[in-house]
Amino acid sequence: MDYKEVLETARKVLAAKCRVCPVCDGRACRGEVPGVGGKGTGATFVRNVAALAEVKLVLDTLYADRGQDTSCEFFGRTFAMPVFAAPIGGMKLNYGSDIGEAANGERVVRGAHAAGSAAFTGDSPDEAFYGPLEAIKALDGWGVPTIKPWAMKQALARMADAVAAGVMAVAMDVDAAGLVNVKLRGESVYPKSVADLHALVEAAGKTPFIVKGIMSVKGALKALEAGCYGIVVSNHGGRVLDHGQSTVEVLPEIAQAVNGRMKVFVDGGVRSGVDVFKMLALGADAVLIGRPVTMSAFGGGAEGVEIYLKKIQSELTGTMLMTGAATLAEIGRDMVSVPAYF
C-alpha cells in the first residue's frame, strides 16, 4: 500500500461525509458541522490553511552537510519526528462511520507508534473513556488521551482513569467548550479557569498535563500559571468559532511570551512536512495533525496512518536539507519569510 492507494480508499469510504480533497483546506465543506467542516462560513478552517501557505521558505544549500535529524524528546521519551496525531472523535456523527471511538483510537495509536510518533486520542460521551486507553496501555502508555472540558467532577474522574493506565501525558481540549456536536447530544462542556487547570495539573501528578485550545498570549500565560507542561495553539480546526485568527498567525507571539518555560505544540492547517517546518521555525516545539490522519486511518487503518506520518517526516527532512538545518534545534525564524500582518 502507498499513500495514493490510502487516499483512493478513503474517498470511497468517506464519500458521504468527506470529499478527501486534494488539499484539505475547508473550502468544499464550509459550515458542515456536524461533519468535517469549519463552523459557520468556515472562514477559520480556511484561514488556517491559507495563512500557513503565505509563509515562505528561505533556500540555503551553502553549508557543510551533516545530514538531517528529525528526532525529538517529550514526556521523557524519544520520537522520530516532532509530529503527533491530533485528537479527533465523532466517528459516526462527523464521518458517518460505524467504527467506534475506541476502535478508531486504536488504529491511530498503533499507526502513529509504528511511525515513531504518537497520537493524542479523542474523548466522547458515547463510549467509556477507557476504551482508547486500552490501546495506549498495550503500548506502554504511548499516547496522549485528551479529555473534553466536562464539569470538573467528570473531568477529574477521566483524568484518574488516564493516569491509572500509565499514559505518557494527558491533555484537555478547552476549546471544545464551544463544540456544537457535544451540545447537540445534550452533554455539557465548560470553559476552565486557572484554578480548574491547576486542579487538573495536581490530579495528573507526575503525568504531564497539556491544555489544547490556546489562541492568545493571555491564554498561554494562564496555562503557565496553572503549571501545565505545555499548550497546543489551536482553534479546534475552525470548528468552534467562525472568523477567528489562524493558528500560525498567533504562534510567534505566544512562543515568544512562553520563552521556553513550557512546551508549545500547534495544530491547524498543517498538511505537509513543509508546513511542519514552518511551524517549528515560528516557535513551535512540535505540531499536531488532525483531519489528514483520520482520512489515512479510514483509507488504510493503522498502516495508512503510519504511511502518512512517514511521508510527513520525509518531507520535513527534505525541507531541512534545502534550508540548512541539520537538527530541529537549528530550524530558526531566519529560515522563513512571513506576511507583514503576522
Side-chain angles (χ1 to χ4, degrees), residues 135-149:
I136 297 174
K137 191 174 181 179
L139 292 171
D140 190 30
W142 200 273
V144 185
T146 305
I147 305 169
K148 287 280 180 286

PDB file of all heavy atoms in Angstrom, residues 135-149:
ATOM      1  N   ALA A 135      -5.618   0.614  24.032  1.00  0.00           N
ATOM      2  CA  ALA A 135      -4.581   0.575  23.003  1.00  0.00           C
ATOM      3  C   ALA A 135      -3.316   1.276  23.487  1.00  0.00           C
ATOM      4  O   ALA A 135      -2.199   0.819  23.230  1.00  0.00           O
ATOM      5  CB  ALA A 135      -5.085   1.226  21.721  1.00  0.00           C
ATOM      6  N   ILE A 136      -3.479   2.378  24.202  1.00  0.00           N
ATOM      7  CA  ILE A 136      -2.331   3.120  24.729  1.00  0.00           C
ATOM      8  C   ILE A 136      -1.616   2.284  25.795  1.00  0.00           C
ATOM      9  O   ILE A 136      -0.386   2.191  25.819  1.00  0.00           O
ATOM     10  CB  ILE A 136      -2.781   4.474  25.306  1.00  0.00           C
ATOM     11  CG1 ILE A 136      -3.381   5.351  24.202  1.00  0.00           C
ATOM     12  CG2 ILE A 136      -1.614   5.185  25.975  1.00  0.00           C
ATOM     13  CD1 ILE A 136      -3.979   6.650  24.706  1.00  0.00           C
ATOM     14  N   LYS A 137      -2.393   1.690  26.652  1.00  0.00           N
ATOM     15  CA  LYS A 137      -1.832   0.868  27.724  1.00  0.00           C
ATOM     16  C   LYS A 137      -1.033  -0.298  27.158  1.00  0.00           C
ATOM     17  O   LYS A 137       0.040  -0.651  27.673  1.00  0.00           O
ATOM     18  CB  LYS A 137      -2.964   0.355  28.614  1.00  0.00           C
ATOM     19  CG  LYS A 137      -2.520  -0.298  29.903  1.00  0.00           C
ATOM     20  CD  LYS A 137      -3.728  -0.629  30.769  1.00  0.00           C
ATOM     21  CE  LYS A 137      -3.315  -1.272  32.086  1.00  0.00           C
ATOM     22  NZ  LYS A 137      -4.499  -1.576  32.936  1.00  0.00           N
ATOM     23  N   ALA A 138      -1.535  -0.890  26.073  1.00  0.00           N
ATOM     24  CA  ALA A 138      -0.857  -2.028  25.450  1.00  0.00           C
ATOM     25  C   ALA A 138       0.484  -1.641  24.855  1.00  0.00           C
ATOM     26  O   ALA A 138       1.347  -2.495  24.639  1.00  0.00           O
ATOM     27  CB  ALA A 138      -1.752  -2.627  24.358  1.00  0.00           C
ATOM     28  N   LEU A 139       0.670  -0.342  24.591  1.00  0.00           N
ATOM     29  CA  LEU A 139       1.923   0.154  24.021  1.00  0.00           C
ATOM     30  C   LEU A 139       2.735   0.912  25.068  1.00  0.00           C
ATOM     31  O   LEU A 139       3.413   1.890  24.772  1.00  0.00           O
ATOM     32  CB  LEU A 139       1.643   1.047  22.810  1.00  0.00           C
ATOM     33  CG  LEU A 139       1.073   0.335  21.577  1.00  0.00           C
ATOM     34  CD1 LEU A 139       0.631   1.343  20.531  1.00  0.00           C
ATOM     35  CD2 LEU A 139       2.105  -0.622  20.994  1.00  0.00           C
ATOM     36  N   ASP A 140       2.635   0.462  26.302  1.00  0.00           N
ATOM     37  CA  ASP A 140       3.412   1.048  27.400  1.00  0.00           C
ATOM     38  C   ASP A 140       3.125   2.539  27.562  1.00  0.00           C
ATOM     39  O   ASP A 140       4.029   3.345  27.784  1.00  0.00           O
ATOM     40  CB  ASP A 140       4.910   0.806  27.167  1.00  0.00           C
ATOM     41  CG  ASP A 140       5.764   1.167  28.381  1.00  0.00           C
ATOM     42  OD1 ASP A 140       5.258   1.054  29.514  1.00  0.00           O
ATOM     43  OD2 ASP A 140       6.925   1.572  28.185  1.00  0.00           O
ATOM     44  N   GLY A 141       1.839   2.901  27.451  1.00  0.00           N
ATOM     45  CA  GLY A 141       1.434   4.281  27.689  1.00  0.00           C
ATOM     46  C   GLY A 141       1.711   5.233  26.542  1.00  0.00           C
ATOM     47  O   GLY A 141       1.657   6.457  26.714  1.00  0.00           O
ATOM     48  N   TRP A 142       2.000   4.710  25.353  1.00  0.00           N
ATOM     49  CA  TRP A 142       2.415   5.521  24.209  1.00  0.00           C
ATOM     50  C   TRP A 142       1.208   6.219  23.562  1.00  0.00           C
ATOM     51  O   TRP A 142       0.676   5.796  22.554  1.00  0.00           O
ATOM     52  CB  TRP A 142       3.124   4.640  23.185  1.00  0.00           C
ATOM     53  CG  TRP A 142       4.003   5.370  22.219  1.00  0.00           C
ATOM     54  CD1 TRP A 142       3.626   5.932  21.044  1.00  0.00           C
ATOM     55  CD2 TRP A 142       5.410   5.601  22.334  1.00  0.00           C
ATOM     56  NE1 TRP A 142       4.698   6.510  20.423  1.00  0.00           N
ATOM     57  CE2 TRP A 142       5.819   6.319  21.189  1.00  0.00           C
ATOM     58  CE3 TRP A 142       6.367   5.283  23.297  1.00  0.00           C
ATOM     59  CZ2 TRP A 142       7.138   6.712  20.967  1.00  0.00           C
ATOM     60  CZ3 TRP A 142       7.673   5.678  23.078  1.00  0.00           C
ATOM     61  CH2 TRP A 142       8.055   6.378  21.929  1.00  0.00           C
ATOM     62  N   GLY A 143       0.768   7.312  24.165  1.00  0.00           N
ATOM     63  CA  GLY A 143      -0.346   8.082  23.643  1.00  0.00           C
ATOM     64  C   GLY A 143      -0.758   9.148  24.640  1.00  0.00           C
ATOM     65  O   GLY A 143      -0.354   9.118  25.807  1.00  0.00           O
ATOM     66  N   VAL A 144      -1.541  10.104  24.158  1.00  0.00           N
ATOM     67  CA  VAL A 144      -1.978  11.221  24.998  1.00  0.00           C
ATOM     68  C   VAL A 144      -3.502  11.344  24.935  1.00  0.00           C
ATOM     69  O   VAL A 144      -4.046  11.997  24.039  1.00  0.00           O
ATOM     70  CB  VAL A 144      -1.328  12.549  24.547  1.00  0.00           C
ATOM     71  CG1 VAL A 144      -1.702  13.676  25.505  1.00  0.00           C
ATOM     72  CG2 VAL A 144       0.190  12.415  24.444  1.00  0.00           C
ATOM     73  N   PRO A 145      -4.233  10.707  25.856  1.00  0.00           N
ATOM     74  CA  PRO A 145      -5.681  10.864  25.870  1.00  0.00           C
ATOM     75  C   PRO A 145      -6.058  12.316  26.137  1.00  0.00           C
ATOM     76  O   PRO A 145      -5.450  12.982  26.972  1.00  0.00           O
ATOM     77  CB  PRO A 145      -6.128   9.945  27.008  1.00  0.00           C
ATOM     78  CG  PRO A 145      -4.916   9.774  27.861  1.00  0.00           C
ATOM     79  CD  PRO A 145      -3.746   9.842  26.936  1.00  0.00           C
ATOM     80  N   THR A 146      -7.030  12.790  25.413  1.00  0.00           N
ATOM     81  CA  THR A 146      -7.439  14.192  25.508  1.00  0.00           C
ATOM     82  C   THR A 146      -8.871  14.279  26.018  1.00  0.00           C
ATOM     83  O   THR A 146      -9.796  13.772  25.380  1.00  0.00           O
ATOM     84  CB  THR A 146      -7.318  14.876  24.136  1.00  0.00           C
ATOM     85  OG1 THR A 146      -5.975  14.703  23.658  1.00  0.00           O
ATOM     86  CG2 THR A 146      -7.631  16.359  24.226  1.00  0.00           C
ATOM     87  N   ILE A 147      -9.034  14.891  27.158  1.00  0.00           N
ATOM     88  CA  ILE A 147     -10.319  14.958  27.846  1.00  0.00           C
ATOM     89  C   ILE A 147     -11.081  16.208  27.429  1.00  0.00           C
ATOM     90  O   ILE A 147     -10.507  17.293  27.342  1.00  0.00           O
ATOM     91  CB  ILE A 147     -10.105  14.971  29.370  1.00  0.00           C
ATOM     92  CG1 ILE A 147      -9.276  13.757  29.808  1.00  0.00           C
ATOM     93  CG2 ILE A 147     -11.436  15.017  30.114  1.00  0.00           C
ATOM     94  CD1 ILE A 147      -8.794  13.831  31.240  1.00  0.00           C
ATOM     95  N   LYS A 148     -12.368  16.069  27.178  1.00  0.00           N
ATOM     96  CA  LYS A 148     -13.217  17.231  26.913  1.00  0.00           C
ATOM     97  C   LYS A 148     -13.367  18.047  28.205  1.00  0.00           C
ATOM     98  O   LYS A 148     -13.235  17.515  29.304  1.00  0.00           O
ATOM     99  CB  LYS A 148     -14.598  16.782  26.433  1.00  0.00           C
ATOM    100  CG  LYS A 148     -14.596  16.229  25.011  1.00  0.00           C
ATOM    101  CD  LYS A 148     -14.594  17.362  24.011  1.00  0.00           C
ATOM    102  CE  LYS A 148     -14.581  16.842  22.581  1.00  0.00           C
ATOM    103  NZ  LYS A 148     -13.280  16.312  22.169  1.00  0.00           N
ATOM    104  N   PRO A 149     -13.661  19.342  28.105  1.00  0.00           N
ATOM    105  CA  PRO A 149     -13.803  20.173  29.306  1.00  0.00           C
ATOM    106  C   PRO A 149     -15.155  19.967  30.001  1.00  0.00           C
ATOM    107  O   PRO A 149     -15.980  20.879  30.115  1.00  0.00           O
ATOM    108  CB  PRO A 149     -13.642  21.596  28.766  1.00  0.00           C
ATOM    109  CG  PRO A 149     -14.143  21.518  27.364  1.00  0.00           C
ATOM    110  CD  PRO A 149     -13.732  20.161  26.866  1.00  0.00           C
TER     111      PRO A 149
END
